[in-house]
């Protein structure tokens, strides 16, 4: 029997102050090629320093995840890195076109402030970035399993179970994906983007792993009967980590925007519980505060 939101009260959200924001400690302007650092900006936005490059995922700096800034999901925590404090960007990865991942204001700002950045998108999404000022020679679209090299960094697009849409009548007009990064040093990173749990996680691990770190979404999963096809819950994220055979898991897609019915502070509690239930080493689950930098 399906439990509808009208028959079960939604759990109460905490005060936003429970989510810490800390001072980032990434290396400016660039980390050494041998070093891997990760800074969680918030939601699915990460600054990854790998192979001597600065890589940004799904950049979102606006106050609301919405086509209008007077309505829609409001940011609970300010971005962990101020837009003007970003180091010089080399690569921007854009997983799909939903408003909490692809933001008009942020794209325009990044194109202006970081004209040297190379943008990687799934099929059909490059025109959005190009119309906001990115030159055509600084853009590439990838289908699932396709790859592109930036310097010596190999970037691959991976399958995801999700959808795309920014308005009425454009559902599915562009693709959605995750990304893997492979450096000359042997370091490998997996960014899942936005996805439900799907059988290709194992294939991704076999073909493109093993991964030093996997960024896996743990939030925006209720009501389950509907969201299971779009977003993993915390238990599924831990299952995905195990199938991927990654070394470290960093949970993303939680604590920044209120998108679905679960309480805002529930995802990390359930994720830690699932991690311990799976008897995985405590030091391999690295839950970051907004702005926190992890060095591997």
């Amino acid at each position: 029997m399906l439990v509808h939101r009208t028959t079960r009260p939604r759990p109460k959200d905490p005060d936003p102050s429970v989510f810490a924001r800390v001072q980032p400690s990434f290396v400016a302007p660039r980390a050494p090629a041998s070093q891997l650092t990760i800074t969680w900006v918030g939601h699915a936005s990460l600054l990854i320093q790998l192979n001597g490059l600065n890589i940004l995922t799904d950049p979102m700096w606006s106050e609301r995840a919405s086509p209008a800034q007077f309505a829609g999901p409001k940011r609970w925590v300010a971005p962990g890195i101020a837009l003007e404090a970003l180091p010089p960007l080399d690569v921007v990865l854009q997983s799909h076109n939903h408003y909490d991942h692809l933001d008009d204001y942020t794209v325009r700002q990044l194109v202006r402030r970081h004209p040297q950045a190379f943008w990687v998108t799934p099929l059909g999404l490059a025109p959005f970035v190009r119309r906001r000022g990115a030159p055509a020679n600084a853009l590439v679209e990838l289908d699932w399993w396709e790859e592109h090299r930036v310097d010596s960094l190999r970037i691959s697009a991976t399958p995801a179970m999700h959808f795309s849409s920014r308005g009425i009548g454009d559902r599915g007009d562009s693709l959605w994906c995750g990304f893997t990064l492979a450096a000359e040093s042997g370091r490998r990173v997996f960014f899942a983007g936005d996805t439900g749990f799907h059988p290709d996680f194992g294939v991704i691990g076999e073909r493109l792993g093993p991964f030093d770190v996997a960024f896996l979404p743990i939030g925006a999963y209720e009501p389950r009967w509907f969201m299971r096809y779009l977003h993993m819950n915390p238990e599924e994220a831990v299952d995905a980590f195990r199938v991927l055979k990654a070394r470290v898991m960093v949970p993303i897609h939680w604590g920044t925007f209120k998108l679905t019915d679960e309480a805002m502070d529930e995802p990390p509690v359930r994720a830690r519980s699932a991690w311990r239930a799976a008897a995985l080493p405590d030091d391999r689950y690295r839950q970051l505060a907004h702005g926190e930098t992890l060095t591997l």
Side-chain angles (χ1 to χ4, degrees):
M1 177 176 146
L2 298 179
V3 179
H4 195 270
R5 61 175 59 179
T6 58
T7 62
R8 184 182 65 179
R10 301 189 206 184
K12 186 177 179 181
D13 286 316
D15 187 89
S17 63
V18 304
F19 300 116
R21 181 176 181 268
V22 303
Q23 187 68 26
S25 57
F26 58 86
V27 185
R30 289 182 170 82
S34 60
Q35 189 171 320
L36 169 59
T37 79
I38 301 121
T39 305
W40 188 41
V41 178
H43 204 53
S45 302
L46 297 147
L47 173 65
I48 303 169
Q49 296 186 294
L50 173 65
N51 210 42
L53 301 176
N54 293 325
I55 304 151
L56 195 61
T57 67
D58 286 3
M60 205 304 182
W61 261 258
S62 282
E63 186 67 13
R64 293 184 184 271
S66 170
Q69 288 303 296
F70 56 82
K74 188 176 182 180
R75 185 179 288 275
W76 277 49
V77 185
I81 306 173
L83 198 59
E84 61 273 14
L86 282 168
L89 298 177
D90 300 294
V91 178
V92 182
L93 304 177
Q94 193 67 63
S95 71
H96 68 298
N97 72 354
H98 286 156
Y99 286 96
D100 55 321
H101 294 255
L102 177 65
D103 178 60
D104 179 273
Y105 166 78
T106 304
V107 171
R108 292 179 188 275
Q109 287 292 311
L110 293 179
V111 167
R112 181 175 67 82
R113 294 169 183 261
H114 302 270
Q116 76 285 349
F118 191 90
W119 294 72
V120 185
T121 78
L123 295 178
L125 206 50
F128 182 100
V129 183
R130 190 166 55 244
R131 287 194 296 268
R132 284 149 184 85
N137 62 358
L139 278 165
V140 69
E141 291 183 341
L142 299 180
D143 199 354
W144 291 350
W145 303 119
E146 286 188 335
E147 67 177 52
H148 184 83
R149 286 185 179 270
V150 176
D151 293 337
S152 57
L153 184 71
R154 189 176 83 241
I155 303 167
S156 302
T158 58
M161 186 166 74
H162 202 59
F163 76 105
S164 66
S165 177
R166 285 181 75 82
I168 299 171
D170 68 340
R171 188 180 177 103
D173 285 356
S174 61
L175 191 61
W176 50 94
C177 69
F179 291 103
T180 66
L181 306 172
E184 268 187 335
S185 63
R187 297 276 199 176
R188 298 190 181 199
V189 169
F190 175 62
F191 171 71
D194 213 352
T195 183
F197 185 85
H198 60 80
D200 278 328
F201 280 120
V203 183
I204 292 167
E206 290 170 6
R207 290 179 60 168
L208 299 168
F211 302 109
D212 293 273
V213 60
F215 303 106
L216 296 170
I218 65 167
Y221 48 80
E222 292 290 352
R224 203 75 204 114
W225 65 267
F226 173 68
M227 299 307 299
R228 63 181 296 186
Y229 303 104
L230 307 175
H231 295 150
M232 293 189 287
N233 65 20
E235 294 78 16
E236 289 170 330
V238 172
D239 287 343
F241 172 83
R242 296 174 70 185
V243 172
L244 284 163
K245 295 182 171 65
R247 187 168 68 89
V248 172
M249 173 177 162
V250 172
I252 60 171
H253 206 267
W254 67 276
T256 310
F257 295 104
K258 175 74 173 178
L259 301 173
T260 49
D261 285 359
E262 78 276 0
M264 285 287 281
D265 56 347
E266 181 182 287
V269 174
R270 282 181 54 173
R272 282 191 184 278
S273 177
W275 188 267
R276 288 167 181 158
L280 294 164
D282 283 346
D283 62 348
R284 294 193 178 188
Y285 178 80
R286 305 301 296 269
Q287 183 178 301
L288 304 181
H290 292 78
E292 186 174 354
T293 300
L294 171 65
T295 300
L296 296 175

